Amino acid sequence: MQPHQIVSREEWIAARKTHLDREKEFTKARDRLSEERRALPWVKVGKAYLFDGPAGKATLADLFWGRSQLVVQHFMFAPDWTEGCKSCSFWADGFERMVPHLAARDTTLVAVSRAPLAKLDAFRARMGWTFDWYSSAANDFNHDYAVSFTPDEIKSGGKIYNFGTSGFGVEEAPGISVFYRDEEGNVFHTYSCFARGLDMMNAAYHYLDLTPLGRHEQGLPYPMDWLRLRDQYQPAPGKGACGGS
């Protein structure tokens, strides 16, 4: 941690108000960016995808559950993995309780992974999640939306992730894709984001960003080395996971 001045309350308020001006600049810039995002052109989805889900076989249009907007969380879970990605699980813990609120605004949020449905259901039960999770094991959805890669693509060392701006060393990658369905039933791809573009969807990270230590990931083998699945953290001796005696 960098050294900090210890000042009077009045001095702290003055410094905080100066920083508040910078925060307001960022908020206005973010609002402008959101407007630009909503104005992006769309691509009509012409390919048929069939998923395995909680109600059986489902098309991409079925994933909307009658709503006009669909958010797909590309959850890293390869067919041969025994459990889901810990980083994607970190995000899933955050959006688990958002689903009804999004539904109230004509938006469905689902997760999609290449692992078979039985594995997804078992892991979801273990983690206590209730959101709909679909298997894309029988289709090319993950590859088409640039979150699953073939061995040859990985070996090539090319920039295959985040719109061709970076490489990726494993077969599965995280991402979010957004779709819109019109009154005639046509489905359009409107947005996708990857890498640090996913950052704003993780409320836990933003809470940490408010603290003096921040994310506190410096010096680790990689930034998220500290992260565990929620049921794998060890509580401090003599205390429960929530800090109670």
Side-chain angles (χ1 to χ4, degrees):
M1 183 190 295
Q2 63 182 358
H4 285 76
Q5 287 182 300
I6 305 301
V7 299
S8 68
R9 181 69 177 176
E10 291 74 17
E11 291 172 305
W12 182 88
I13 291 291
R16 178 65 186 90
K17 289 174 72 174
T18 297
H19 184 64
L20 180 60
D21 289 338
R22 297 284 292 145
E23 289 180 332
K24 288 181 178 180
E25 290 175 11
F26 173 75
T27 298
K28 292 175 182 177
R30 184 181 60 192
D31 288 343
R32 290 193 298 269
L33 190 66
S34 295
E35 289 178 5
E36 293 173 7
R37 182 185 303 117
R38 290 190 291 270
L40 287 171
W42 296 354
V43 177
K44 186 175 180 179
V45 179
K47 192 171 184 177
Y49 299 101
L50 198 61
F51 303 87
D52 290 315
K57 299 293 183 181
T59 64
L60 182 59
D62 292 332
L63 271 56
F64 285 77
W65 284 99
R67 302 183 182 95
S68 65
Q69 301 186 128
L70 172 68
V71 178
V72 173
Q73 190 84 25
H74 298 289
F75 194 118
M76 296 169 64
F77 200 152
D80 58 341
W81 294 5
T82 58
E83 60 186 17
C85 164
K86 66 176 184 177
S87 298
C88 293
S89 298
F90 187 26
W91 265 252
D93 284 337
F95 67 67
E96 156 67 17
R97 294 301 182 183
M98 295 182 188
V99 173
H101 300 292
L102 296 174
R105 303 308 298 155
D106 196 27
T107 303
T108 298
L109 186 150
V110 303
V112 172
S113 303
R114 285 200 307 127
L117 186 62
K119 283 190 175 183
L120 303 183
D121 285 344
F123 190 63
R124 179 174 57 174
R126 169 185 162 186
M127 302 307 295
W129 297 327
T130 60
F131 55 81
D132 287 337
W133 201 348
Y134 293 86
S135 171
S136 59
N139 64 49
D140 298 325
F141 183 76
N142 277 43
H143 189 269
D144 290 348
Y145 287 91
V147 289
S148 291
F149 312 109
T150 66
D152 286 342
E153 287 173 327
I154 297 169
K155 288 178 183 177
S156 73
K159 294 183 176 180
I160 55 177
Y161 185 54
N162 199 12
F163 306 105
T165 61
S166 66
F168 209 82
V170 296
E171 61 189 315
E172 302 294 312
I176 291 173
S177 290
V178 182
F179 301 88
Y180 182 84
R181 185 171 64 92
D182 67 16
E183 293 181 358
E184 288 73 40
N186 298 303
V187 175
F188 303 88
H189 177 216
T190 68
Y191 184 72
S192 284
C193 62
F194 311 95
R196 289 298 299 275
L198 305 173
D199 223 36
M200 60 183 175
M201 308 305 176
N202 192 312
Y205 259 153
H206 290 285
Y207 275 106
L208 290 174
D209 287 342
L210 301 179
T211 67
L213 291 177
R215 303 185 185 188
H216 199 38
E217 295 177 331
Q218 299 86 349
L220 297 176
Y222 62 95
M224 300 187 81
D225 182 61
W226 62 272
L227 185 66
R228 301 291 182 270
L229 294 174
R230 191 179 68 249
D231 60 359
Q232 293 176 338
Y233 287 112
Q234 297 298 318
K239 293 186 177 181
C242 294
S245 298

PDB file of all heavy atoms in Angstrom, residues 108-130:
ATOM      1  N   THR A 108     -33.725 -11.371 -20.433  1.00  0.00           N
ATOM      2  CA  THR A 108     -33.422 -12.693 -19.886  1.00  0.00           C
ATOM      3  C   THR A 108     -31.913 -12.877 -19.837  1.00  0.00           C
ATOM      4  O   THR A 108     -31.210 -12.535 -20.798  1.00  0.00           O
ATOM      5  CB  THR A 108     -34.046 -13.794 -20.759  1.00  0.00           C
ATOM      6  OG1 THR A 108     -35.466 -13.646 -20.760  1.00  0.00           O
ATOM      7  CG2 THR A 108     -33.692 -15.186 -20.239  1.00  0.00           C
ATOM      8  N   LEU A 109     -31.413 -13.382 -18.736  1.00  0.00           N
ATOM      9  CA  LEU A 109     -29.989 -13.711 -18.617  1.00  0.00           C
ATOM     10  C   LEU A 109     -29.851 -15.211 -18.422  1.00  0.00           C
ATOM     11  O   LEU A 109     -30.509 -15.792 -17.551  1.00  0.00           O
ATOM     12  CB  LEU A 109     -29.349 -12.960 -17.452  1.00  0.00           C
ATOM     13  CG  LEU A 109     -27.819 -13.121 -17.312  1.00  0.00           C
ATOM     14  CD1 LEU A 109     -27.204 -11.872 -16.691  1.00  0.00           C
ATOM     15  CD2 LEU A 109     -27.449 -14.339 -16.457  1.00  0.00           C
ATOM     16  N   VAL A 110     -29.011 -15.836 -19.243  1.00  0.00           N
ATOM     17  CA  VAL A 110     -28.731 -17.262 -19.130  1.00  0.00           C
ATOM     18  C   VAL A 110     -27.228 -17.481 -19.234  1.00  0.00           C
ATOM     19  O   VAL A 110     -26.492 -16.612 -19.708  1.00  0.00           O
ATOM     20  CB  VAL A 110     -29.448 -18.088 -20.218  1.00  0.00           C
ATOM     21  CG1 VAL A 110     -30.952 -17.861 -20.174  1.00  0.00           C
ATOM     22  CG2 VAL A 110     -28.899 -17.771 -21.606  1.00  0.00           C
ATOM     23  N   ALA A 111     -26.788 -18.642 -18.800  1.00  0.00           N
ATOM     24  CA  ALA A 111     -25.401 -19.063 -19.005  1.00  0.00           C
ATOM     25  C   ALA A 111     -25.375 -20.148 -20.069  1.00  0.00           C
ATOM     26  O   ALA A 111     -26.317 -20.939 -20.183  1.00  0.00           O
ATOM     27  CB  ALA A 111     -24.789 -19.576 -17.705  1.00  0.00           C
ATOM     28  N   VAL A 112     -24.307 -20.170 -20.850  1.00  0.00           N
ATOM     29  CA  VAL A 112     -24.124 -21.192 -21.879  1.00  0.00           C
ATOM     30  C   VAL A 112     -22.700 -21.724 -21.781  1.00  0.00           C
ATOM     31  O   VAL A 112     -21.744 -20.948 -21.678  1.00  0.00           O
ATOM     32  CB  VAL A 112     -24.389 -20.633 -23.293  1.00  0.00           C
ATOM     33  CG1 VAL A 112     -24.002 -21.655 -24.359  1.00  0.00           C
ATOM     34  CG2 VAL A 112     -25.846 -20.242 -23.469  1.00  0.00           C
ATOM     35  N   SER A 113     -22.576 -23.066 -21.805  1.00  0.00           N
ATOM     36  CA  SER A 113     -21.265 -23.720 -21.745  1.00  0.00           C
ATOM     37  C   SER A 113     -21.269 -24.947 -22.643  1.00  0.00           C
ATOM     38  O   SER A 113     -22.339 -25.481 -22.974  1.00  0.00           O
ATOM     39  CB  SER A 113     -20.939 -24.155 -20.306  1.00  0.00           C
ATOM     40  OG  SER A 113     -20.970 -23.074 -19.418  1.00  0.00           O
ATOM     41  N   ARG A 114     -20.075 -25.438 -22.984  1.00  0.00           N
ATOM     42  CA  ARG A 114     -19.978 -26.620 -23.848  1.00  0.00           C
ATOM     43  C   ARG A 114     -20.086 -27.933 -23.088  1.00  0.00           C
ATOM     44  O   ARG A 114     -20.274 -28.988 -23.699  1.00  0.00           O
ATOM     45  CB  ARG A 114     -18.656 -26.600 -24.618  1.00  0.00           C
ATOM     46  CG  ARG A 114     -18.640 -25.596 -25.759  1.00  0.00           C
ATOM     47  CD  ARG A 114     -17.556 -25.908 -26.779  1.00  0.00           C
ATOM     48  NE  ARG A 114     -16.248 -26.058 -26.159  1.00  0.00           N
ATOM     49  CZ  ARG A 114     -15.456 -27.120 -26.327  1.00  0.00           C
ATOM     50  NH1 ARG A 114     -15.833 -28.132 -27.089  1.00  0.00           N
ATOM     51  NH2 ARG A 114     -14.270 -27.166 -25.744  1.00  0.00           N
ATOM     52  N   ALA A 115     -19.975 -27.915 -21.776  1.00  0.00           N
ATOM     53  CA  ALA A 115     -20.100 -29.152 -21.004  1.00  0.00           C
ATOM     54  C   ALA A 115     -21.512 -29.718 -21.150  1.00  0.00           C
ATOM     55  O   ALA A 115     -22.463 -28.965 -21.368  1.00  0.00           O
ATOM     56  CB  ALA A 115     -19.798 -28.886 -19.533  1.00  0.00           C
ATOM     57  N   PRO A 116     -21.660 -31.041 -21.019  1.00  0.00           N
ATOM     58  CA  PRO A 116     -23.000 -31.633 -21.121  1.00  0.00           C
ATOM     59  C   PRO A 116     -23.907 -31.147 -19.998  1.00  0.00           C
ATOM     60  O   PRO A 116     -23.447 -30.775 -18.914  1.00  0.00           O
ATOM     61  CB  PRO A 116     -22.730 -33.135 -21.034  1.00  0.00           C
ATOM     62  CG  PRO A 116     -21.389 -33.265 -20.401  1.00  0.00           C
ATOM     63  CD  PRO A 116     -20.618 -32.060 -20.812  1.00  0.00           C
ATOM     64  N   LEU A 117     -25.200 -31.173 -20.251  1.00  0.00           N
ATOM     65  CA  LEU A 117     -26.175 -30.617 -19.318  1.00  0.00           C
ATOM     66  C   LEU A 117     -26.084 -31.258 -17.937  1.00  0.00           C
ATOM     67  O   LEU A 117     -26.235 -30.568 -16.920  1.00  0.00           O
ATOM     68  CB  LEU A 117     -27.584 -30.784 -19.885  1.00  0.00           C
ATOM     69  CG  LEU A 117     -28.709 -30.130 -19.082  1.00  0.00           C
ATOM     70  CD1 LEU A 117     -28.527 -28.626 -19.022  1.00  0.00           C
ATOM     71  CD2 LEU A 117     -30.065 -30.476 -19.705  1.00  0.00           C
ATOM     72  N   ALA A 118     -25.832 -32.556 -17.865  1.00  0.00           N
ATOM     73  CA  ALA A 118     -25.759 -33.227 -16.567  1.00  0.00           C
ATOM     74  C   ALA A 118     -24.661 -32.619 -15.699  1.00  0.00           C
ATOM     75  O   ALA A 118     -24.841 -32.443 -14.484  1.00  0.00           O
ATOM     76  CB  ALA A 118     -25.526 -34.726 -16.754  1.00  0.00           C
ATOM     77  N   LYS A 119     -23.520 -32.284 -16.288  1.00  0.00           N
ATOM     78  CA  LYS A 119     -22.433 -31.651 -15.527  1.00  0.00           C
ATOM     79  C   LYS A 119     -22.824 -30.249 -15.082  1.00  0.00           C
ATOM     80  O   LYS A 119     -22.530 -29.835 -13.957  1.00  0.00           O
ATOM     81  CB  LYS A 119     -21.161 -31.597 -16.368  1.00  0.00           C
ATOM     82  CG  LYS A 119     -20.409 -32.907 -16.468  1.00  0.00           C
ATOM     83  CD  LYS A 119     -19.040 -32.680 -17.118  1.00  0.00           C
ATOM     84  CE  LYS A 119     -18.213 -33.957 -17.124  1.00  0.00           C
ATOM     85  NZ  LYS A 119     -16.860 -33.733 -17.682  1.00  0.00           N
ATOM     86  N   LEU A 120     -23.484 -29.521 -15.972  1.00  0.00           N
ATOM     87  CA  LEU A 120     -23.907 -28.167 -15.623  1.00  0.00           C
ATOM     88  C   LEU A 120     -24.904 -28.197 -14.470  1.00  0.00           C
ATOM     89  O   LEU A 120     -24.798 -27.407 -13.515  1.00  0.00           O
ATOM     90  CB  LEU A 120     -24.532 -27.472 -16.841  1.00  0.00           C
ATOM     91  CG  LEU A 120     -23.678 -27.372 -18.103  1.00  0.00           C
ATOM     92  CD1 LEU A 120     -24.429 -26.582 -19.181  1.00  0.00           C
ATOM     93  CD2 LEU A 120     -22.332 -26.735 -17.808  1.00  0.00           C
ATOM     94  N   ASP A 121     -25.859 -29.103 -14.547  1.00  0.00           N
ATOM     95  CA  ASP A 121     -26.872 -29.202 -13.493  1.00  0.00           C
ATOM     96  C   ASP A 121     -26.247 -29.579 -12.155  1.00  0.00           C
ATOM     97  O   ASP A 121     -26.622 -29.040 -11.102  1.00  0.00           O
ATOM     98  CB  ASP A 121     -27.937 -30.233 -13.878  1.00  0.00           C
ATOM     99  CG  ASP A 121     -28.896 -29.721 -14.948  1.00  0.00           C
ATOM    100  OD1 ASP A 121     -28.938 -28.490 -15.170  1.00  0.00           O
ATOM    101  OD2 ASP A 121     -29.606 -30.549 -15.552  1.00  0.00           O
ATOM    102  N   ALA A 122     -25.300 -30.505 -12.182  1.00  0.00           N
ATOM    103  CA  ALA A 122     -24.658 -30.939 -10.927  1.00  0.00           C
ATOM    104  C   ALA A 122     -23.854 -29.801 -10.314  1.00  0.00           C
ATOM    105  O   ALA A 122     -23.897 -29.588  -9.089  1.00  0.00           O
ATOM    106  CB  ALA A 122     -23.767 -32.146 -11.198  1.00  0.00           C
ATOM    107  N   PHE A 123     -23.117 -29.070 -11.128  1.00  0.00           N
ATOM    108  CA  PHE A 123     -22.310 -27.971 -10.596  1.00  0.00           C
ATOM    109  C   PHE A 123     -23.197 -26.826 -10.122  1.00  0.00           C
ATOM    110  O   PHE A 123     -22.920 -26.195  -9.096  1.00  0.00           O
ATOM    111  CB  PHE A 123     -21.326 -27.484 -11.666  1.00  0.00           C
ATOM    112  CG  PHE A 123     -20.292 -26.522 -11.158  1.00  0.00           C
ATOM    113  CD1 PHE A 123     -19.367 -26.906 -10.195  1.00  0.00           C
ATOM    114  CD2 PHE A 123     -20.232 -25.223 -11.638  1.00  0.00           C
ATOM    115  CE1 PHE A 123     -18.406 -26.024  -9.724  1.00  0.00           C
ATOM    116  CE2 PHE A 123     -19.276 -24.328 -11.180  1.00  0.00           C
ATOM    117  CZ  PHE A 123     -18.365 -24.732 -10.213  1.00  0.00           C
ATOM    118  N   ARG A 124     -24.275 -26.566 -10.839  1.00  0.00           N
ATOM    119  CA  ARG A 124     -25.204 -25.514 -10.417  1.00  0.00           C
ATOM    120  C   ARG A 124     -25.813 -25.859  -9.066  1.00  0.00           C
ATOM    121  O   ARG A 124     -25.943 -24.995  -8.195  1.00  0.00           O
ATOM    122  CB  ARG A 124     -26.309 -25.337 -11.468  1.00  0.00           C
ATOM    123  CG  ARG A 124     -27.324 -24.273 -11.089  1.00  0.00           C
ATOM    124  CD  ARG A 124     -28.317 -24.016 -12.193  1.00  0.00           C
ATOM    125  NE  ARG A 124     -29.033 -25.230 -12.590  1.00  0.00           N
ATOM    126  CZ  ARG A 124     -30.037 -25.232 -13.449  1.00  0.00           C
ATOM    127  NH1 ARG A 124     -30.427 -24.115 -14.040  1.00  0.00           N
ATOM    128  NH2 ARG A 124     -30.646 -26.359 -13.755  1.00  0.00           N
ATOM    129  N   ALA A 125     -26.188 -27.131  -8.862  1.00  0.00           N
ATOM    130  CA  ALA A 125     -26.744 -27.553  -7.580  1.00  0.00           C
ATOM    131  C   ALA A 125     -25.711 -27.410  -6.465  1.00  0.00           C
ATOM    132  O   ALA A 125     -26.022 -26.955  -5.357  1.00  0.00           O
ATOM    133  CB  ALA A 125     -27.233 -28.999  -7.675  1.00  0.00           C
ATOM    134  N   ARG A 126     -24.474 -27.778  -6.761  1.00  0.00           N
ATOM    135  CA  ARG A 126     -23.397 -27.648  -5.763  1.00  0.00           C
ATOM    136  C   ARG A 126     -23.222 -26.199  -5.320  1.00  0.00           C
ATOM    137  O   ARG A 126     -23.044 -25.917  -4.119  1.00  0.00           O
ATOM    138  CB  ARG A 126     -22.093 -28.180  -6.354  1.00  0.00           C
ATOM    139  CG  ARG A 126     -20.854 -27.856  -5.534  1.00  0.00           C
ATOM    140  CD  ARG A 126     -19.583 -28.313  -6.230  1.00  0.00           C
ATOM    141  NE  ARG A 126     -18.406 -27.652  -5.686  1.00  0.00           N
ATOM    142  CZ  ARG A 126     -17.170 -27.778  -6.185  1.00  0.00           C
ATOM    143  NH1 ARG A 126     -16.955 -28.571  -7.227  1.00  0.00           N
ATOM    144  NH2 ARG A 126     -16.155 -27.124  -5.625  1.00  0.00           N
ATOM    145  N   MET A 127     -23.295 -25.267  -6.279  1.00  0.00           N
ATOM    146  CA  MET A 127     -23.056 -23.871  -5.973  1.00  0.00           C
ATOM    147  C   MET A 127     -24.312 -23.131  -5.510  1.00  0.00           C
ATOM    148  O   MET A 127     -24.244 -21.962  -5.112  1.00  0.00           O
ATOM    149  CB  MET A 127     -22.469 -23.161  -7.197  1.00  0.00           C
ATOM    150  CG  MET A 127     -21.164 -23.762  -7.721  1.00  0.00           C
ATOM    151  SD  MET A 127     -19.886 -23.946  -6.449  1.00  0.00           S
ATOM    152  CE  MET A 127     -19.568 -22.248  -6.025  1.00  0.00           C
ATOM    153  N   GLY A 128     -25.463 -23.788  -5.576  1.00  0.00           N
ATOM    154  CA  GLY A 128     -26.693 -23.167  -5.105  1.00  0.00           C
ATOM    155  C   GLY A 128     -27.264 -22.124  -6.047  1.00  0.00           C
ATOM    156  O   GLY A 128     -27.997 -21.229  -5.616  1.00  0.00           O
ATOM    157  N   TRP A 129     -26.956 -22.235  -7.336  1.00  0.00           N
ATOM    158  CA  TRP A 129     -27.450 -21.267  -8.317  1.00  0.00           C
ATOM    159  C   TRP A 129     -28.806 -21.699  -8.863  1.00  0.00           C
ATOM    160  O   TRP A 129     -29.140 -22.886  -8.867  1.00  0.00           O
ATOM    161  CB  TRP A 129     -26.470 -21.130  -9.475  1.00  0.00           C
ATOM    162  CG  TRP A 129     -25.131 -20.592  -9.096  1.00  0.00           C
ATOM    163  CD1 TRP A 129     -24.852 -19.683  -8.123  1.00  0.00           C
ATOM    164  CD2 TRP A 129     -23.864 -20.920  -9.702  1.00  0.00           C
ATOM    165  NE1 TRP A 129     -23.502 -19.417  -8.080  1.00  0.00           N
ATOM    166  CE2 TRP A 129     -22.875 -20.157  -9.037  1.00  0.00           C
ATOM    167  CE3 TRP A 129     -23.486 -21.766 -10.742  1.00  0.00           C
ATOM    168  CZ2 TRP A 129     -21.528 -20.233  -9.381  1.00  0.00           C
ATOM    169  CZ3 TRP A 129     -22.157 -21.844 -11.088  1.00  0.00           C
ATOM    170  CH2 TRP A 129     -21.185 -21.082 -10.410  1.00  0.00           C
ATOM    171  N   THR A 130     -29.572 -20.736  -9.349  1.00  0.00           N
ATOM    172  CA  THR A 130     -30.893 -21.027  -9.899  1.00  0.00           C
ATOM    173  C   THR A 130     -31.079 -20.527 -11.329  1.00  0.00           C
ATOM    174  O   THR A 130     -32.110 -20.790 -11.946  1.00  0.00           O
ATOM    175  CB  THR A 130     -31.987 -20.394  -9.019  1.00  0.00           C
ATOM    176  OG1 THR A 130     -31.805 -18.970  -8.977  1.00  0.00           O
ATOM    177  CG2 THR A 130     -31.941 -20.945  -7.599  1.00  0.00           C
TER     178      THR A 130
END
